[in-house]
Amino acid sequence: MKLHVITFQYCAFHNRSLSFTSFIPIIVSVKIYCKINNFLPKHTVFYEVMIKIVGKPIDSSISEESRIVTSVYHSPAGELVLGSIGDFLCLCDWPTRKDSLRVWNRLRRNLGAVSEAGESAVTSEASRQLDEYFAGKRHEFDLPLLLAGTDFQIKIWYELTGIIYGETASYSEIAGNIGSAGSVRAVAAATGANALSIFVPCHRVLGIGGALTGYAGGLDAKRNLLSLETRV
């Protein structure tokens, strides 16, 4: 899985080899604005949320690097919003999560981009790989991911990608893995801020004694994902 990151200093790190020391920073311009969308299906909870965060159908005058293209994926565990910017997947999130607006606004702000409803080659490929995942035919993903957050958040999200299909880890284990055993709460907060659910598998993180702790998609979705992965 290809990982690329954006820090609050608006640097994209390329040349991935799953090692932070090999990323080459490239400055990303900042341009923030939001439009109201009239493109999505109405009379749904999803629409009520999405109308506040996505823009009009794709405007060809806006460059790909300044545009997050969003589409809906109907998974067996619930609706997901997929988002891509350029050649990277930057969003796979649950529109019903209580802090979805905050998470998606943070993503737009960090990437300096406007969000628009539509379809891209990246979101189409993400949908295809998710189809295979939910059918039990795919155990890992092969898409370039763009992580946008603080250095600490990105460190945690990177650590989550090391939890393989069918396995789980605790917040305390993750804290220990990064050499910060006392930062369990900070690890939990960073895990909860993940905007790339399933691709960055925060559902594989459990509480003390294997407790099924909170999840952006809800505990039922988390339970379904873990159940899917333990059938093998």
Side-chain angles (χ1 to χ4, degrees), residues 75-182:
S75 86
E79 284 186 330
L80 288 162
V81 180
L82 302 177
S84 68
I85 184 166
D87 296 328
F88 307 103
L89 187 72
C90 62
L91 179 68
C92 180
D93 201 26
W94 310 86
T96 53
R97 70 185 289 172
K98 63 181 180 180
D99 59 347
S100 59
L101 290 178
R102 179 174 60 82
V103 171
W104 296 347
N105 282 332
R106 182 201 71 209
L107 182 66
R108 280 200 304 257
R109 181 177 66 249
N110 289 352
L111 298 180
V114 57
S115 57
E116 297 181 323
E119 192 78 28
S120 70
V122 175
T123 58
S124 293
E125 177 60 18
S127 295
R128 187 188 70 80
Q129 293 191 21
L130 284 170
D131 284 344
E132 293 177 348
Y133 167 79
F134 282 106
K137 299 177 180 178
R138 176 177 286 273
H139 295 174
E140 58 183 42
F141 298 98
D142 183 23
L143 274 174
L145 305 181
L146 190 59
L147 308 180
T150 66
D151 290 339
F152 182 79
Q153 287 174 329
I154 290 166
K155 190 174 185 179
I156 298 304
W157 299 335
Y158 175 80
E159 191 67 29
L160 297 183
T161 65
I163 309 174
I164 65 174
Y165 188 101
E167 295 190 358
T168 59
S170 68
Y171 296 108
S172 59
E173 287 173 333
I174 294 171
N177 289 344
I178 65 170
S180 184

